[in-house]
């Protein structure tokens, strides 16, 4: 059971929920950038939700299925195509052996997720299958996927979906979808943030501009961090800070005053002052911002940040139940215990 | 455990500050609290990351299982952690493990030893003597897997970073930058002045723990010959 990489594209890696518990050793978390799209991708093929998937960035990636496969594509719309036919997203799709899936160009968003029934089968390193590019560990041989790679798939899927063969098409998609609201992956986004630990150290004008003006995503943004450009954020008085633990969504401001939002491949410690922290619910949105996107920040209370997260999780739980139900209905897999 | 400052780091982490300044006593408290939390995890605890003066505690908002009406999750975690740290018995300041790091100084392994000696008006032997003449506390691991942030290098062998960083520095390289010294765990680009190399693997992803050094330990560098280096490097294989 495997997939063959036909074209490596800009950047494609194997990722899961990331490496937890190794931060004290200086080991980055890694894992998927957009946890929302990732979980849906897994649920839509009947996986538990924490299986390894492919994270495909921007454009040019192509993969061939070396056997029949149930897959799902979520996240950014990178114009997926199979033999010239547009492939729908956010739903289960059955691909016939030998068919080739191409991610042509970005229509909206930045990162697509390709899940497969059973998950990508690479060895766990420190409890995770995520690729940690900088350290060269995890994922597929510790590196980004290259043209010609054969990526193994977990052989024993939790159950078998019936095959959907048809004479005229290389794939068959179900008619329903779990597509999110149309605002998903939009390039102008309002990010909700709470105050960072050194918020008070910034000048009042800097704080005002941070919340009133727009910031643009720079091309140097990557899995480590999103670099922004906009009105410089200056401190009341320059100061040396002692490095301390950071997390996904931490907004650090180096000496040039241009903020950086830390993401999945961030280092464990950061030594720059932290002006704000992106609410957990909004981090998947950051992950889908292509360079040139414009963003604004809105302050919310820590309580509100928690409430938004818990509310979203309640909705996700409902969504999972609905997806499970539709899958069961679709495939009549009544004996599947998780459903 | 009085007067700890606790601040939320977003909605899924809490930062605890044990002191204002970098010092061995403050860091000892950080390290003690880190191991205590790892040994006594609360429901929903994910991990903690110790640094120079702070400990950041990461939790899973969905798994906290806090009672209704207990305020925000970060307030709840604050109270749990405060309770746990009060339970923590007296903190041991002694019995720090000392790890000896064999280093082959100068030559092909330490191309900048001559430069560090020259700008300090000393001989290369002097630099090695000073570098191996004291123990360094590992305040934290960070920047790269297993990279130790060490206590101060004596001014007498301090050296500025290279103006143009090298494109590739081999793993195990021992460098000086300002009054900092450290060991490169991975082959990376870097601007430190490289004075030697250790044959030991600092980052060993296939082992547990995956790193040779841990924060809170002391290290002492030991000068070895290139023959010894080859022998130790050979043992690794």
């Amino acid at each position: 059971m495997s997939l063959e990489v036909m074209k490596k594209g800009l950047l494609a890696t194997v990722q899961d929920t990331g490496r937890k518990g190794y931060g004290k050793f200086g080991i980055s978390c890694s894992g998927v950038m957009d946890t929302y799209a990732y979980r849906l991708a897994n649920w839509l093929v009947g996986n538990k939700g924490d299986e390894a998937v492919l994270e495909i960035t921007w454009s040019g990636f192509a993969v061939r299925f070396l056997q029949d496969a149930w897959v799902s594509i979520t996240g950014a719309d990178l114009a997926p195509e199979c033999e010239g036919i547009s492939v729908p997203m956010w739903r289960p799709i059955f691909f016939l052996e030998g068919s080739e899936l191409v991610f042509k160009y970005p229509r909206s968003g930045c990162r697509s997720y390709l899940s497969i029934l059973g998950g990508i089968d690479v060895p766990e390193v420190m409890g995770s299958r995520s690729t940690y590019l900088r350290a060269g560990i995890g994922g597929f041989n510790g590196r980004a996927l290259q043209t010609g790679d054969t990526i193994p798939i977990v052989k024993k899927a939790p159950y078998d979906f019936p095959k959907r063969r048809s004479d005229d098409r290389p794939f068959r998609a179900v008619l329903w979808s779990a597509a999110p609201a149309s605002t998903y992956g939009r390039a102008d986004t309002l990010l909700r943030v709470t105050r960072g630990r050194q918020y008070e150290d910034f000048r009042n004008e800097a704080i005002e501009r941070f919340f009133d003006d727009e910031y643009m995503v720079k091309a140097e943004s990557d899995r480590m961090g999103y670099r922004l450009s906009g009105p410089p954020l200056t401190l009341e008085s320059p100061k040396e800070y002692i490095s301390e633990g950071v997390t996904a969504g931490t907004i650090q401001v180096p000496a040039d005053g241009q903020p950086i939002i830390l993401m999945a491949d961030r280092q464990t410690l950061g030594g720059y002052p932290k002006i704000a922290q992106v609410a957990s619910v909004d981090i998947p949105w950051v992950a889908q911002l292509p360079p040139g996107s414009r963003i604004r920040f809105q302050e919310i209370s820590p309580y509100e940040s928690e409430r938004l997260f818990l509310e979203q999780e309640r909705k996700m739980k409902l969504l999972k139940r609905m997806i499970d139900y539709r899958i069961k209905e679709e495939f009549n897999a009544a004996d599947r215990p998780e459903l | 455990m009085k007067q700890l400052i606790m601040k939320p780091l977003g909605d899924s982490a809490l930062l605890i500050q044990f002191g204002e300044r970098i010092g061995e006593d403050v860091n000892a408290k950080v390290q003690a609290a880190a191991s205590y939390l790892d040994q006594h995890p609360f429901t929903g605890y994910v991990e903690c990351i110790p640094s120079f003066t702070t400990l950041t505690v990461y939790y899973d908002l969905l798994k906290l299982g806090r009672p209704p009406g207990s305020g925000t999750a970060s307030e709840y975690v604050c109270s749990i952690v405060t309770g746990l740290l009060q339970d923590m018995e007296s903190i041991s300041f002694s019995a720090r493990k000392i790890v000896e790091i064999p280093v082959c100084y100068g030559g092909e392994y330490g191309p900048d030893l001559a430069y560090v000696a020259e700008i300090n008006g000393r001989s290369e032997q002097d630099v090695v003597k000073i570098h191996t003449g004291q123990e360094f506390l590992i305040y934290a691991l960070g920047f790269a897997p297993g990279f130790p942030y060490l206590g101060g290098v004596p001014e007498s062998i301090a050296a500025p970073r290279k103006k143009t960083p090298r494109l590739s520095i081999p793993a195990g390289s021992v460098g000086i930058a300002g009054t900092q010294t450290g060991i490169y765990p991975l082959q990376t680009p870097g601007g430190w002045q490289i004075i030697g190399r250790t044959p030991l693997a600092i980052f060993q992803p296939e082992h547990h723990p995956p790193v040779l050094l841990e924060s809170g330990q002391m290290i002492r560098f030991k000068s070895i010959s290139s023959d010894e280096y080859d022998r130790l490097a050979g043992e690794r294989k």
Side-chain angles (χ1 to χ4, degrees):
Chain A
M1 295 280 280
S2 47
L3 304 172
E4 187 185 353
V5 178
M6 306 305 286
K7 271 192 338 201
K8 65 178 183 153
L10 187 67
L11 173 71
T13 55
V14 176
Q15 300 291 347
D16 62 9
T17 56
R19 227 156 252 118
K20 307 270 158 63
Y22 294 86
K24 64 181 169 209
F25 301 128
I27 290 164
S28 299
C29 184
S30 309
V32 291
M33 293 277 278
D34 180 345
T35 51
Y36 175 84
Y38 160 71
R39 286 192 288 171
L40 275 173
N42 267 325
W43 293 345
L44 284 165
V45 291
N47 285 346
K48 277 204 326 264
D50 59 356
E51 288 82 356
V53 302
L54 300 188
E55 182 180 272
I56 297 148
T57 309
W58 212 234
S59 69
F61 183 78
V63 71
R64 194 157 63 96
F65 298 98
L66 300 185
Q67 70 293 303
D68 294 351
W70 277 102
V71 307
S72 178
I73 306 162
T74 65
D77 182 353
L78 305 182
E81 264 187 21
C82 181
E83 294 178 20
I85 310 165
S86 172
V87 177
M89 295 177 54
W90 304 95
R91 69 191 75 204
I93 312 165
F94 183 73
F95 279 93
L96 282 179
E97 176 185 341
S99 46
E100 192 177 322
L101 174 63
V102 189
F103 293 83
K104 308 232 17 162
Y105 61 92
R107 280 201 188 102
S108 70
C110 208
R111 295 177 168 86
S112 231
Y113 293 88
L114 177 67
S115 66
I116 188 150
L117 178 60
I120 303 293
D121 190 14
V122 292
E124 281 195 1
V125 179
M126 292 172 233
S128 167
R129 294 187 163 92
S130 290
T131 315
Y132 179 5
L133 288 171
R134 190 155 176 252
I137 60 160
F140 188 85
N141 295 338
R143 59 165 171 79
L145 299 178
Q146 300 294 325
T147 306
D149 285 347
T150 303
I151 310 158
I153 296 158
V154 172
K155 282 188 199 74
K156 199 161 165 39
Y159 61 100
D160 263 331
F161 280 163
K163 295 183 173 182
R164 289 292 174 92
R165 294 197 176 275
S166 119
D167 301 331
D168 53 341
R169 281 196 156 203
F171 66 89
R172 281 290 289 270
V174 305
L175 295 175
W176 51 274
S177 90
S182 58
T183 50
Y184 182 86
R186 250 173 52 181
D188 53 330
T189 300
L190 185 70
L191 293 178
R192 291 163 292 189
V193 300
T194 51
R195 291 184 183 189
R197 198 160 107 85
Q198 287 86 22
Y199 176 92
E200 312 277 342
D201 293 359
F202 287 88
R203 303 175 90 125
N204 289 338
E205 307 93 86
I207 297 286
E208 273 169 30
R209 304 196 74 175
F210 180 70
F211 288 115
D212 291 348
D213 287 352
E214 273 187 344
Y215 283 82
M216 200 191 71
V217 175
K218 289 205 260 192
E220 299 93 303
S221 300
D222 59 15
R223 284 183 42 88
M224 274 180 86
Y226 263 65
R227 291 169 179 273
L228 309 179
S229 73
L233 302 169
T234 41
L235 293 164
E236 201 59 63
S237 57
K239 207 174 136 188
E240 278 289 312
Y241 291 90
I242 302 170
S243 290
E244 55 190 32
V246 292
T247 191
T250 299
I251 307 180
Q252 286 197 336
V253 183
D256 65 2
Q258 301 294 303
I260 302 170
I261 308 176
L262 301 182
M263 298 296 282
D265 280 352
R266 67 192 175 275
Q267 293 174 13
T268 51
L269 304 177
Y272 296 120
K274 300 180 272 293
I275 192 168
Q277 172 74 37
V278 179
S280 288
V281 277
D282 284 351
I283 293 174
W285 296 87
V286 179
Q288 293 298 356
L289 293 170
S293 305
R294 295 184 177 280
I295 53 183
R296 281 174 182 279
F297 297 102
Q298 180 193 27
E299 188 183 349
I300 57 170
S301 68
Y303 173 76
E304 183 66 1
S305 182
E306 279 178 17
R307 195 192 62 76
L308 289 167
F309 179 80
L310 293 171
E311 188 186 286
Q312 158 137 318
E313 287 304 311
R314 266 192 296 274
K315 286 185 189 157
M316 291 291 275
K317 226 170 153 179
L318 274 175
L319 187 55
K320 172 157 197 317
R321 221 176 282 166
M322 284 160 68
I323 290 170
D324 282 350
Y325 178 76
R326 295 309 288 271
I327 288 178
K328 187 177 170 183
E329 210 179 43
E330 194 78 32
F331 306 111
N332 203 14
D335 55 340
R336 200 180 152 233
E338 287 106 315
L339 294 182
Chain B
M1 279 299 141
K2 271 173 261 162
Q3 290 165 335
L4 296 184
I5 299 170
M6 297 200 188
K7 284 266 181 80
L9 176 68
D11 47 38
S12 305
L14 182 71
L15 193 138
I16 311 168
Q17 189 178 335
F18 288 79
E20 286 278 320
R21 291 174 183 283
I22 295 175
E24 298 201 353
D25 51 340
V26 170
N27 191 252
K29 290 180 192 170
V30 174
Q31 304 300 347
S35 27
Y36 192 81
L37 283 181
D38 273 347
Q39 285 155 23
H40 303 85
F42 56 89
T43 309
Y45 173 76
V46 175
E47 64 180 309
C48 67
I49 301 183
S51 188
F52 294 88
T53 57
T54 56
L55 181 67
T56 308
V57 180
Y58 299 81
Y59 54 88
D60 184 336
L61 205 46
L62 292 175
K63 291 188 182 148
L64 279 179
R66 66 201 148 114
S70 54
T72 64
S74 70
E75 283 163 5
Y76 173 71
V77 173
C78 249
S79 65
I80 291 184
V81 171
T82 307
L84 279 172
L85 296 187
Q86 270 163 2
D87 295 345
M88 192 170 83
E89 285 175 22
S90 65
I91 298 157
S92 154
F93 289 95
S94 56
R96 281 202 182 98
K97 190 178 165 195
I98 299 172
V99 184
E100 195 175 72
I101 304 290
V103 176
C104 180
Y105 287 93
E108 62 163 312
Y109 294 143
D112 302 323
L113 180 64
Y115 170 79
V116 173
E118 192 195 314
I119 61 153
N120 285 294
R122 293 180 176 274
S123 68
E124 294 185 14
Q125 290 85 336
D126 271 359
V127 172
V128 173
K129 208 171 153 192
I130 295 168
H131 199 253
T132 54
Q134 73 169 89
E135 279 147 19
F136 298 94
L137 173 64
I138 304 171
Y139 280 95
L141 299 179
F143 168 67
F147 177 86
Y149 283 104
L150 300 174
V153 169
E155 289 287 348
S156 54
I157 57 166
R161 277 165 217 262
K162 295 188 95 67
K163 285 202 183 76
T164 312
R166 285 195 174 89
L167 290 176
S168 173
I169 292 178
S173 293
V174 175
I176 288 180
T179 55
Q180 271 188 288
T181 188
I183 312 164
Y184 280 80
L186 304 168
Q187 180 180 319
T188 52
W192 290 32
Q193 304 290 348
I194 304 303
I195 59 171
R197 198 189 303 172
T198 178
L200 302 184
I202 299 298
F203 177 48
Q204 34 195 17
E206 64 285 357
H207 288 71
H208 190 84
V211 293
L212 179 71
L213 305 166
E214 293 186 32
S215 50
Q217 295 174 341
M218 309 284 293
I219 69 174
R220 178 184 272 277
F221 295 105
K222 181 192 164 199
S223 177
I224 57 168
S225 66
S226 61
D227 285 351
E228 183 109 3
Y229 179 99
D230 293 343
R231 191 178 62 76
L232 288 170
E235 277 174 14
R236 251 178 70 193
K237 285 166 195 155

